[in-house]
Amino acid sequence: TALAYARVWHLVDARGQVLGRLGTQIAQTLMGKHKPIYDPSSDCGDYVVVINAKHIAVTGRKREQKLYRHHTRFPGGLKEITFDRLQEKDAGKIIEKAVSGMLPKNRLRSVRIERLMIFPEAEHPYVENIIKRYDTKIPLVTQSIE
């Protein structure tokens, strides 16, 4: 049944997409929930290539208020960085952290995250592999509503 587990490459354009809503759909694709052969204990998900990660959108005041924390494992080593600064520094980490939090916390999590490729702009080396373009049903966020 190797044909049933054949992995498809999906291309996702993150420009103007809301972070959380996009993350849930990417997580479902990585798990393989869109396939009729889905089994929680087997790894049957697909590859996902995300482009334009620098242009991801968030709602409300999360751009200034959302904090990402990590610890250096030294005493007093709790580091905080805001969404805005992390987007300038490494935009891929934002999407990777969001999708990782939406995957099940088990042994398959790291294997699934390895199939997620994130690029800050539109250029990527997987052009030949892409079979499906991600058809988004999520409306784009407009910059200002007046």
Side-chain angles (χ1 to χ4, degrees):
T1 77
L3 187 59
Y5 283 104
R7 300 195 192 280
V8 178
W9 288 69
H10 298 262
L11 180 68
V12 178
D13 189 1
R15 184 180 296 274
Q17 298 291 329
V18 178
L19 176 63
R21 293 178 184 264
L22 186 67
T24 56
Q25 302 218 350
I26 292 172
Q28 286 180 353
T29 305
L30 288 173
M31 284 189 284
K33 277 195 164 185
H34 62 289
K35 295 182 176 183
I37 58 162
Y38 170 71
D39 178 26
S41 64
S42 67
D43 187 24
C44 60
D46 292 339
Y47 289 92
V48 178
V49 177
V50 180
I51 58 172
N52 294 321
K54 273 192 171 181
H55 309 288
I56 193 92
V58 288
T59 57
R61 297 184 61 196
K62 292 187 194 101
R63 187 165 297 283
E64 302 89 27
Q65 291 180 347
K66 185 166 178 63
L67 292 176
Y68 292 95
R69 295 183 175 104
H70 73 278
H71 205 284
T72 63
R73 295 189 176 180
F74 284 96
L78 183 65
K79 303 291 181 185
E80 292 182 346
I81 186 168
T82 62
F83 177 90
D84 219 10
R85 292 198 46 221
L86 186 59
Q87 191 172 25
E88 292 170 8
K89 186 177 175 184
D90 186 9
K93 285 281 186 201
I94 293 172
I95 296 175
E96 184 178 339
K97 213 163 160 52
V99 172
S100 176
M102 294 174 190
L103 289 173
K105 281 62 172 182
N106 57 23
R107 292 178 182 181
L108 295 175
R109 183 187 200 181
S110 60
V111 178
R112 289 171 174 158
I113 282 291
E114 285 175 6
R115 287 198 309 271
L116 175 65
M117 289 81 167
I118 304 169
F119 298 97
E121 296 298 331
E123 305 86 35
H124 63 91
Y126 303 106
V127 178
E128 303 87 29
N129 300 351
I130 301 298
I131 293 175
K132 288 188 176 181
R133 279 196 63 88
Y134 184 73
D135 54 340
T136 180
K137 299 174 194 87
I138 305 166
L140 295 174
V141 174
T142 56
Q143 293 297 340
S144 63
I145 301 172
E146 292 184 50

